[in-house]
Amino acid sequence: MFTRKSTIVFFVFILIGFTVLAQNQALSIIDKEDLKRHLTFIASDDLQGRKLGTEVDGLGITANYLAEYVKKIGLKPGAENYFQKVEMVSSKPNENNFIEVKNSKGKTLYKSGSIVCLNSNKAFGNLKDADVIVAGFGDETDGIDIDGKVVVIAQGNIESFKKGNLFRWNNRLERSKIESISEQKPRTIVIVTNPQDKDNRTFSQIKAWFGRERFMIKTAEENKEAPVLVTIPKFADELLGGKGKYKEYLTGITENSKPNNFEVENRNVNPNAENITELVDAKNVIAVIEGSDSELKNEFVVFMAHYDHLGVSKDGDVYNGADDNGSGTVALMEVAEAFAGLEKKPKRSIVFLWVTCEEIGMLGSEYYVEHPVFPLEKTIACVNLDMVGRVFEPRDTVWNRSPKRVKDFDGLFTLSNDVWPELAEISAQKCAELGLVPDTTLPAFFMRSSDHYQFHRKGVPVLNLATGYHADYHKVGDEGSKINFDKIKRVADLCFLLGYEIANKNKIELKRETE
């Protein structure tokens, strides 16, 4: 005879049985052959490395492929036609840029193309009649009027000059000086490299970094930072009166440990540092499975992967990016299909987000968190997949000094923040069920290593899954023939089980903080 208690227990077991059956059926949808078919296309030479600006728009073709796929399996669009337009601008320096020093009579004393503009989209006004202030290392400019003037400062500081640190660009130090001086509204800032760097190695490196085409998020906000140029010591010598004068000037400051700021007489500076900009067509692909609970469906679990890569080498070789991040891209496709195949959908909504332009600055994910399609305060977790398709080979020992060398068949890097500590616990539990061994020891700086960082800085719980760095990382050898599809299948299974559990939890309490 059944008691009321035994009847309840019986129905609980029945419910658990149906839940397990539903999950197993969904996991069977995640198919290795489908993973291989998708990746063979996405990582093919025909798509030219899925980067902005290639002759064939492989990045756009991949976006269309993803959108057509999620539409086919029945997911709802998260944005118009599944595309969130990412408003971006490309910027590259004009080949005719130069910097010039003239005397008070208009005679050219120095003119050189050795000039780099650090601001990607900054326009220059007429600087021919601007007064010039020389301000040492730029760390003490209080008490001098630099409003509307050209401010010339030295790279580094007194300490680095004393030590003779020739080839060292301390970006944090220079940014701090630039921001401080910009508050005083100069016309422009000119940073001159170390006069002891006779081969101009520092300038050559900066030019390599900033002298190529760059991409950025388009913003309607006014950039309050002054235009910033970098040039070589010969410019400062001519400005100060001749060969060796710049080194002599900095040596005096160093020996006296005092600033020596002054306005230059009988000299004008005329920089021509135009950047050529144009709008860029880029897009994130977003699809959603609406939750089944009338209230919890307004909360969201986001699965994310970037679908771009590095394009084509100077020699014409294609960076196929099969693992980086074709593997994460196709894993998400199969996870999406597994959730789409559930007869009863999870309580919370599941969002699938394929972001663009990770390789050039995580721009797609940055744009999403600044223009979220689904409220970030209602986003319970973001699971990011970036390189999940390789297994350790002996040649991968080139990464022995990295804490993220590619794992064996059972290993997986799992990196989470502390906004919702239970996320890491659920990840460990599901790894155990699948025989995966999670490595949670990555240093904190890896939180900034991929698109999950953008959600992390907005206070969203994040989990990054990766198999690690291998010998073909960011090389043309990252090809589909080296992918382990059994490993991708295991990671995709993990994602489904994670998502299913998180999306069905009755209550989740978060400790949200933003950077």
Side-chain angles (χ1 to χ4, degrees):
M1 179 177 181
F2 282 107
T3 64
R4 181 174 183 274
K5 183 176 180 181
S6 62
T7 302
I8 292 173
V9 171
F10 173 77
F11 279 111
V12 167
F13 276 111
I14 291 293
L15 181 60
I16 292 173
F18 277 123
T19 299
V20 172
L21 178 62
Q23 290 186 52
N24 288 338
Q25 288 176 338
L27 290 177
S28 69
I29 292 174
I30 300 174
D31 182 71
K32 287 193 302 180
E33 291 305 313
D34 286 344
L35 287 167
K36 186 173 184 178
R37 174 170 55 85
H38 294 312
L39 189 60
T40 298
F41 175 76
I42 288 173
S44 66
D45 284 354
D46 292 341
L47 268 60
Q48 294 192 346
R50 309 187 306 278
K51 182 182 179 182
L52 287 173
T54 54
E55 184 177 353
V56 175
D57 183 17
L59 193 62
I61 292 171
T62 305
N64 291 334
Y65 184 83
L66 294 168
E68 290 169 5
Y69 177 76
V70 290
K71 181 178 180 180
K72 178 182 176 181
I73 64 176
L75 272 62
K76 294 183 178 180
E80 186 177 357
N81 296 322
Y82 299 96
F83 296 134
Q84 179 189 38
K85 184 177 180 182
V86 178
E87 297 183 342
M88 289 173 49
V89 175
S90 74
S91 173
K92 53 187 176 182
N94 190 320
E95 294 180 356
N96 298 319
N97 285 346
F98 64 87
I99 190 165
E100 184 178 29
V101 177
K102 291 184 177 182
N103 63 18
S104 57
K105 297 180 179 180
K107 180 181 178 182
T108 297
L109 304 177
Y110 172 83
K111 186 174 183 179
S112 171
S114 297
I115 185 78
V116 175
C117 181
L118 301 191
N119 318 72
S120 297
N121 59 346
K122 200 72 177 176
F124 281 78
N126 181 5
L127 299 178
K128 292 181 180 179
D129 299 325
D131 294 327
V132 181
I133 299 288
V134 175
F137 292 97
D139 48 0
E140 294 186 41
T141 56
D142 295 339
I144 58 171
D145 180 17
I146 61 178
D147 189 349
K149 299 173 183 177
V150 175
V151 179
V152 177
I153 63 174
Q155 168 203 351
N157 55 23
I158 288 177
E159 182 181 359
S160 64
F161 188 78
K162 278 183 179 179
K163 291 181 178 179
N165 291 342
L166 306 185
F167 184 65
R168 185 172 180 225
W169 177 265
N170 186 329
N171 196 58
R172 179 175 294 182
L173 171 64
E174 303 305 332
R175 294 303 314 173
S176 176
K177 294 192 296 186
I178 290 166
E179 290 169 7
S180 176
I181 295 172
S182 291
E183 292 177 358
Q184 301 173 65
K185 300 180 181 179
R187 185 79 68 89
T188 191
I189 300 169
V190 180
I191 301 176
V192 184
T193 56
N194 195 319
Q196 299 166 351
D197 182 7
K198 299 187 184 301
D199 296 326
N200 293 321
R201 291 193 301 147
T202 305
F203 177 80
S204 297
Q205 184 62 72
I206 294 168
K207 186 173 183 179
W209 289 339
F210 293 95
R212 57 194 175 192
E213 184 176 20
R214 288 177 282 168
F215 298 89
M216 69 222 73
I217 301 295
K218 181 184 176 185
T219 175
E221 296 180 5
E222 181 183 356
N223 187 348
K224 296 180 180 180
E225 185 177 275
V228 182
L229 307 177
V230 178
T231 190
I232 59 178
K234 281 186 177 181
F235 159 79
D237 277 345
E238 289 298 338
L239 192 64
L240 297 176
K243 186 177 181 180
K245 291 293 184 180
Y246 174 50
K247 181 179 179 180
E248 181 182 315
Y249 166 69
L250 295 181
T251 300
I253 293 175
T254 303
E255 291 176 349
N256 297 320
S257 296
K258 292 182 180 180
N260 180 12
N261 305 327
F262 62 92
E263 185 169 328
V264 179
E265 296 181 358
N266 301 319
R267 294 288 189 275
N268 291 320
V269 175
N270 176 28
N272 183 53
E274 177 187 23
N275 284 311
I276 302 171
T277 61
E278 61 181 30
L279 296 176
V280 175
D281 180 24
K283 44 188 168 290
N284 294 328
V285 182
I286 311 174
V288 62
I289 294 176
E290 187 175 297
S292 58
D293 185 272
S294 59
E295 293 186 9
L296 292 180
K297 71 178 182 180
N298 296 313
E299 295 181 358
F300 306 92
V301 179
V302 174
F303 284 99
M304 175 173 61
H306 75 87
Y307 67 93
D308 65 303
H309 195 53
L310 300 177
V312 181
S313 74
K314 294 179 180 179
D315 298 326
D317 295 320
V318 175
Y319 291 96
N320 299 103
D323 190 34
D324 186 14
N325 186 33
S327 60
T329 298
V330 301
L332 249 58
M333 294 172 73
E334 289 295 290
V335 175
E337 187 171 357
F339 275 105
L342 290 171
E343 184 175 342
K344 180 176 176 55
K345 300 300 187 283
K347 295 177 182 179
R348 290 181 178 83
S349 297
I350 311 288
V351 177
F352 294 93
L353 171 61
W354 289 271
V355 291
T356 189
C357 297
E358 187 270 351
E359 300 288 2
I360 55 174
M362 298 184 285
L363 299 181
S365 54
E366 178 186 351
Y367 190 87
Y368 180 87
V369 300
E370 298 299 339
H371 306 84
V373 174
F374 304 98
L376 295 182
E377 63 271 17
K378 294 291 186 179
T379 300
I380 299 303
C382 173
V383 180
N384 180 43
L385 279 69
D386 194 350
M387 298 175 61
V388 295
R390 293 287 285 264
V391 172
F392 175 77
E393 300 175 13
R395 65 195 188 94
D396 297 324
T397 54
V398 295
W399 286 98
N400 275 354
R401 296 180 66 182
S402 169
K404 201 178 179 182
R405 191 191 72 183
V406 65
K407 291 291 187 180
D408 61 17
F409 185 65
D410 291 327
L412 185 70
F413 291 102
T414 61
L415 176 69
S416 58
N417 58 12
D418 59 0
V419 180
W420 181 36
E422 193 175 351
L423 178 58
E425 296 172 10
I426 296 172
S427 171
Q429 176 191 341
K430 298 307 174 184
C431 280
E433 291 177 14
L434 294 169
L436 290 167
V437 181
D439 184 335
T440 62
T441 65
L442 285 177
F445 64 81
F446 277 98
M447 189 57 69
R448 295 174 175 264
S449 67
S450 183
D451 292 297
H452 55 272
Y453 169 69
Q454 303 292 0
F455 283 79
H456 165 71
R457 70 182 179 87
K458 292 292 186 178
V460 175
V462 300
L463 176 67
N464 176 229
L465 304 177
T467 48
Y469 298 146
H470 46 77
D472 299 305
Y473 173 60
H474 278 194
K475 294 183 179 180
V476 295
D478 184 6
E479 299 173 335
S481 60
K482 299 172 184 175
I483 292 295
N484 188 305
F485 290 96
D486 288 296
K487 188 63 175 278
I488 301 182
K489 158 71 173 166
R490 298 180 80 187
V491 176
D493 287 350
L494 173 63
C495 286
F496 175 81
L497 295 176
L498 269 170
Y500 192 89
E501 170 120 350
I502 295 167
N504 282 303
K505 289 186 73 68
N506 288 326
K507 188 175 182 180
I508 296 176
E509 295 184 1
L510 307 180
K511 301 183 298 181
R512 292 189 185 272
E513 294 181 4
T514 59
E515 286 196 359

